[in-house]
Amino acid sequence: MVPRYVSTLLVIASAVTVFAFPQIANRPLGLPEQLNAAIIGVGAVAGIVHMLGIVPQQRHLRAFAGPAVAWPVMVAGIVSLITS
């Protein structure tokens, strides 16, 4: 259950980061920031799948929706967006 809670926290942190970034940075999302937001969104989708306990039958989707891929993608996207 702990990994699901971590996925939940990272999904919430991802959403807050993407939606609050323009107000925090006091500038609109440019193309590089939009690409970072898209990467965060992909990681958040994988995190939501993991959070809900859905286990895809395809091997590559199962690996994508696991915490070993979803968490680093979300964290890397958040860090990249904040440091841009």
Side-chain angles (χ1 to χ4, degrees), residues 31-67:
L31 183 59
E33 290 85 11
Q34 288 177 359
L35 292 174
N36 284 336
I39 291 170
I40 294 170
V42 169
V45 168
I48 290 170
V49 169
H50 178 257
M51 176 181 68
L52 295 175
I54 299 170
V55 180
Q57 292 183 359
Q58 295 86 2
R59 183 177 50 186
H60 60 284
L61 290 177
R62 191 176 323 124
F64 169 72

Side-chain angles (χ1 to χ4, degrees), residues 71-82:
W71 295 353
V73 169
M74 285 187 277
V75 170
I78 290 170
V79 169
S80 179
L81 184 63
I82 290 172

Side-chain angles (χ1 to χ4, degrees), residues 17-38:
T17 302
V18 169
F19 290 117
F21 180 77
Q23 287 79 21
I24 293 170
N26 201 20
R27 61 186 166 107
L29 289 175
L31 183 59
E33 290 85 11
Q34 288 177 359
L35 292 174
N36 284 336

